[in-house]
Amino acid sequence: MQTDEQGILDYLKAFRHSFVPAKEIARKVGGKERFDRDHGWAIPVLSQMVRLGQIETDHLGGYRIKEEKKKHEKEQHVSPQLLKILKSSGKKFDGVNFDDSKSEPPIPVYRKPASADGGES
């Protein structure tokens, strides 16, 4: 990775969820002298980074680090009574995991505490 690309990535890390204009990137990353010589020096570098999939752009010409789309397997907790109804319905639920071990917690047993004198009242 070239130093320009690394500098741009480091700068864009501070703006992870918002798009930054190319002109601002060129000014902040390249320094004042480089920006004064060529205002658009960052455009080819940014275009290459977009093609490589390192960053993304919006319709206004702003750039940001590409966010990874996470595939979450959503887990839905269901009461034991509802789980029993769904199982007894006879319908097929493709892609649904009916895990009985998670749905039915053990029932706690409560005992009456013994009195201090040793006898029951």
Side-chain angles (χ1 to χ4, degrees):
M1 184 178 297
Q2 296 176 348
T3 57
D4 288 338
E5 292 175 354
Q6 187 60 47
I8 290 170
L9 285 175
D10 290 340
Y11 181 71
L12 290 177
K13 283 180 186 176
F15 305 97
R16 195 167 284 279
H17 299 293
S18 59
F19 289 94
V20 181
K23 193 171 188 177
E24 183 179 339
I25 294 170
R27 185 182 314 126
K28 298 291 184 176
V29 175
K32 186 177 180 180
E33 292 178 15
R34 187 172 184 183
F35 182 72
D36 287 341
R37 280 183 281 150
D38 183 13
H39 292 296
W41 70 265
I43 302 291
V45 179
L46 291 168
S47 298
Q48 179 66 20
M49 292 174 74
V50 169
R51 264 181 283 173
L52 294 174
Q54 296 171 339
I55 60 175
E56 59 187 354
T57 185
D58 65 352
H59 64 282
L60 298 174
Y63 297 89
R64 72 175 177 187
I65 293 179
K66 194 167 190 174
E67 295 179 354
E68 294 181 22
K69 296 186 179 184
K70 298 177 183 176
K71 293 182 180 179
H72 293 285
E73 185 177 315
K74 190 171 184 180
E75 188 173 309
Q76 181 70 38
H77 297 282
V78 179
S79 70
Q81 295 84 6
L82 187 56
L83 183 63
K84 184 178 178 183
I85 292 169
L86 289 173
K87 284 183 177 180
S88 65
S89 71
K91 294 187 178 186
K92 294 183 180 180
F93 297 96
D94 295 332
V96 178
N97 184 13
F98 293 114
D99 189 6
D100 291 338
S101 64
K102 291 182 182 178
S103 62
E104 297 181 26
I107 300 172
V109 178
Y110 294 102
R111 299 177 189 218
K112 186 175 179 181
S115 63
D117 61 358
E120 290 190 24
S121 347

